[in-house]
Amino acid sequence: MHPGGNPAAARPRIDPNQIPSPIKMQTDDQVAYAQTPYGTSGRAGNPPLASTDYMAVDEGNSNPKFMRLTVNQIPTTEELANTSHLPLALVVQPLAKLRADEAPIPLVDLGEEGPVRCTRCKGYINPFCTFTDGGRRFICSLCQFASDVPNAYFCNLDMAGRRMDLEMRPELMYGTCEYVPTKEYYNREARPAAFLFAIDVSWNSVQSGMLVQCVQAIKDALYGAQAEQWLRPGVRVGILTFDRSVNFYNLSAELEQAQMLVVSDIDDMFAPIQDGLLVDPVASRTVIESLLDTLPGMFQTNRTADPVLGAALQAAHQAMQANGGRLIVFQTTMPIR
Ligand SMILES: [Zn+2]
């Protein structure tokens, strides 16, 4: 009984049996793409679900691993977008890992001229741009503006209006390509990477065994069998440790052993050395290895409970400010300052 009301109104408006099961959808999608590749032209329908392990073939649109809309259909009006309550967004992951059976991303080098772009909106030339005036101009796929084709990029069109060199131009064939950048695209020359290891050496780190594991892992990374894969010439590495204070190490190759510099004023953090902090791991191998071997013993009796992660991050930021680099933190407790 529903006194004073319409019995029908009390019934749920959505029948739970009609709601598709997400688990089943994911399983079905995985089965569908287990053997069949996904062609990005969209002829086969919606892209595979984000949870599916699939092989994509770039047919002019990007592989969904690089770019994926939150919805497969874009609402035609703002009102529809608002009433649907579905977020409309684009997930962009430019360095997403490809599957081994997917084609590698082609590299385009257009020399000094750099990428060809729309004069008006600066959109990059792409498979959806069309060519007119015998190939002398191209229509931007984003804003429909007709830009001149640079002389060096000019090519005659075939009967169908396609460039004769189409298959030599990955940027006109695929949704994703890499460009060799010209000077316009960067502020400074690319420098080899720098890696700074920041290691918690407080009581918890030592007692839990993390410190021992950590120095071993760093040694493996720098000098183990896999090291050559990422230790390119010019790469520099540095080490700092922190407990109540932040400890820097001069790892210069000419030293017999690493020099430790302690900064205990964590409210006024600064990097006490510039030279010798980030070094060539090959030239300084003896110094680095002996420091790593020494660290567990050096802090064995450390009773400090609150490592100053915040100060260590500040110090690392200062040390790498000029040239940039990657900070790798080994921390065992919740940071409190
Ligand atoms: Zn444009």
Side-chain angles (χ1 to χ4, degrees):
M1 287 292 286
H2 300 275
N6 177 359
R11 278 210 301 269
R13 288 167 61 201
I14 298 171
D15 177 0
N17 294 322
Q18 297 293 314
I19 301 175
S21 150
I23 309 265
K24 184 172 183 313
M25 285 186 71
Q26 288 180 354
T27 319
D28 289 352
D29 199 61
Q30 183 61 74
V31 170
Y33 285 104
Q35 304 295 334
T36 320
Y38 169 68
T40 65
S41 67
R43 275 192 299 269
N46 290 336
L49 297 177
S51 56
T52 299
D53 179 21
Y54 60 91
M55 187 267 222
V57 178
D58 189 328
E59 294 174 337
N61 285 308
S62 274
N63 185 332
K65 291 182 180 93
F66 297 121
M67 285 185 138
R68 173 184 286 277
L69 275 171
T70 51
V71 288
N72 286 325
Q73 274 74 33
I74 298 179
T76 46
T77 63
E78 195 177 341
E79 192 196 349
L80 190 57
N82 290 337
T83 47
S84 74
H85 291 287
L86 292 171
L88 175 57
L90 183 68
V91 181
V92 181
Q93 208 184 349
L95 301 177
K97 217 172 176 185
L98 289 173
R99 252 172 55 160
D101 52 356
E102 289 178 315
I105 303 305
L107 180 66
V108 180
D109 187 354
L110 296 177
E112 288 290 299
E113 298 270 332
V116 179
R117 299 173 68 178
C118 169
T119 316
R120 182 161 71 186
C121 77
K122 298 293 172 198
Y124 286 66
I125 202 160
N126 64 69
F128 297 95
C129 293
T130 49
F131 290 86
T132 60
D133 289 352
R136 279 181 290 276
R137 306 214 293 167
F138 72 95
I139 313 286
C140 172
S141 60
L142 301 171
C143 75
Q144 312 306 318
F145 186 77
S147 303
D148 289 338
V149 171
N151 287 340
Y153 197 74
F154 172 79
C155 179
N156 286 310
L157 306 182
D158 67 10
M159 301 295 281
R162 296 182 320 164
R163 282 172 64 112
M164 307 284 267
D165 67 348
L166 187 65
E167 293 188 358
M168 316 279 290
R169 296 287 185 190
E171 69 277 20
L172 301 179
M173 296 277 291
Y174 303 116
T176 307
C177 66
E178 294 257 29
Y179 279 107
V180 175
T182 55
K183 283 221 158 52
E184 266 177 74
Y185 291 85
Y186 54 85
N187 289 331
R188 59 177 194 209
E189 294 287 334
R191 291 195 178 88
F195 296 91
L196 183 58
F197 299 101
I199 312 168
D200 172 5
V201 289
S202 66
W203 186 84
N204 195 47
S205 163
V206 177
Q207 297 306 316
S208 65
M210 191 280 276
L211 182 56
V212 173
Q213 293 296 327
C214 168
V215 295
Q216 189 54 49
I218 295 176
K219 271 166 55 176
D220 281 351
L222 294 180
Y223 307 114
Q226 310 289 320
E228 279 181 11
Q229 286 182 12
W230 67 278
L231 266 190
R232 305 275 154 71
V235 165
R236 290 164 310 136
V237 301
I239 294 169
L240 60 83
T241 58
F242 57 99
D243 47 11
R244 181 183 297 122
S245 46
V246 180
N247 314 312
F248 296 80
Y249 299 89
N250 184 342
L251 303 172
S252 298
E254 55 270 23
L255 294 174
E256 274 188 19
Q257 59 178 41
Q259 279 173 353
M260 179 175 171
L261 294 102
V262 181
V263 178
S264 44
D265 186 358
I266 59 162
D267 295 322
D268 185 20
M269 195 37 68
F270 65 98
I273 43 168
Q274 287 299 329
D275 294 336
L277 182 64
L278 291 164
V279 296
D280 175 354
V282 178
S284 292
R285 177 167 182 167
T286 325
V287 184
I288 293 174
E289 279 191 319
S290 75
L291 171 67
L292 289 170
D293 288 337
T294 320
L295 285 178
M298 199 151 87
F299 294 100
Q300 200 172 17
T301 54
N302 197 349
R303 296 265 156 231
T304 309
D306 304 325
V308 289
L309 177 67
L313 294 181
Q314 256 179 9
H317 180 251
Q318 280 205 11
M320 296 194 293
Q321 211 164 21
N323 295 319
R326 179 178 291 190
L327 174 67
I328 300 149
V329 179
F330 298 89
Q331 164 86 3
T332 53
T333 49
M334 287 287 281
I336 52 167
R337 53 191 171 157

Short mmCIF file of all heavy atoms in Angstrom, two decimals, residues 118 120-123 140 142-145, ligand 1:
data_model
loop_
_atom_site.label_atom_id
_atom_site.label_comp_id
_atom_site.label_asym_id
_atom_site.label_seq_id
_atom_site.Cartn_x
_atom_site.Cartn_y
_atom_site.Cartn_z
N CYS A 118 49.11 24.36 -39.64
CA CYS A 118 48.11 25.29 -40.15
C CYS A 118 48.53 26.73 -39.80
O CYS A 118 48.94 27.00 -38.67
CB CYS A 118 46.76 24.97 -39.53
SG CYS A 118 45.50 26.21 -39.81
N ARG A 120 46.69 29.31 -39.49
CA ARG A 120 45.78 29.99 -38.58
C ARG A 120 45.76 29.38 -37.18
O ARG A 120 46.00 30.07 -36.20
CB ARG A 120 44.36 29.99 -39.15
CG ARG A 120 43.39 30.75 -38.25
CD ARG A 120 42.13 31.18 -38.96
NE ARG A 120 41.27 30.05 -39.24
CZ ARG A 120 40.16 30.14 -39.96
NH1 ARG A 120 39.80 31.29 -40.49
NH2 ARG A 120 39.43 29.08 -40.18
N CYS A 121 45.49 28.06 -37.07
CA CYS A 121 45.29 27.48 -35.73
C CYS A 121 46.50 26.73 -35.23
O CYS A 121 46.50 26.24 -34.10
CB CYS A 121 44.07 26.57 -35.72
SG CYS A 121 44.34 24.95 -36.46
N LYS A 122 47.54 26.63 -36.05
CA LYS A 122 48.79 25.94 -35.68
C LYS A 122 48.60 24.43 -35.51
O LYS A 122 49.45 23.75 -34.94
CB LYS A 122 49.39 26.52 -34.38
CG LYS A 122 49.78 27.99 -34.49
CD LYS A 122 50.94 28.16 -35.44
CE LYS A 122 51.23 29.62 -35.72
NZ LYS A 122 52.03 29.80 -36.92
N GLY A 123 47.45 23.92 -35.97
CA GLY A 123 47.25 22.47 -35.94
C GLY A 123 48.28 21.79 -36.83
O GLY A 123 48.69 22.34 -37.86
N CYS A 140 43.13 22.69 -43.43
CA CYS A 140 43.29 22.20 -42.06
C CYS A 140 42.04 21.41 -41.65
O CYS A 140 40.92 21.87 -41.84
CB CYS A 140 43.50 23.39 -41.13
SG CYS A 140 43.48 22.97 -39.39
N LEU A 142 41.14 20.88 -38.70
CA LEU A 142 40.59 21.41 -37.45
C LEU A 142 39.80 22.69 -37.68
O LEU A 142 38.73 22.88 -37.11
CB LEU A 142 41.72 21.68 -36.45
CG LEU A 142 42.58 20.47 -36.09
CD1 LEU A 142 43.78 20.90 -35.27
CD2 LEU A 142 41.75 19.46 -35.32
N CYS A 143 40.34 23.61 -38.52
CA CYS A 143 39.67 24.91 -38.66
C CYS A 143 39.29 25.22 -40.10
O CYS A 143 38.77 26.31 -40.38
CB CYS A 143 40.54 26.02 -38.07
SG CYS A 143 41.95 26.48 -39.09
N GLN A 144 39.55 24.30 -41.01
CA GLN A 144 39.16 24.43 -42.43
C GLN A 144 39.90 25.55 -43.16
O GLN A 144 39.54 25.91 -44.27
CB GLN A 144 37.64 24.66 -42.59
CG GLN A 144 36.76 23.70 -41.81
CD GLN A 144 37.09 22.25 -42.10
OE1 GLN A 144 37.32 21.89 -43.24
NE2 GLN A 144 37.16 21.42 -41.07
N PHE A 145 40.92 26.13 -42.57
CA PHE A 145 41.67 27.20 -43.23
C PHE A 145 42.61 26.58 -44.26
O PHE A 145 43.16 25.50 -44.05
CB PHE A 145 42.47 27.97 -42.17
CG PHE A 145 43.18 29.18 -42.70
CD1 PHE A 145 42.50 30.34 -42.97
CD2 PHE A 145 44.56 29.14 -42.92
CE1 PHE A 145 43.16 31.46 -43.46
CE2 PHE A 145 45.23 30.25 -43.41
CZ PHE A 145 44.53 31.41 -43.68
ZN ZN B 1 43.76 25.16 -38.66
#
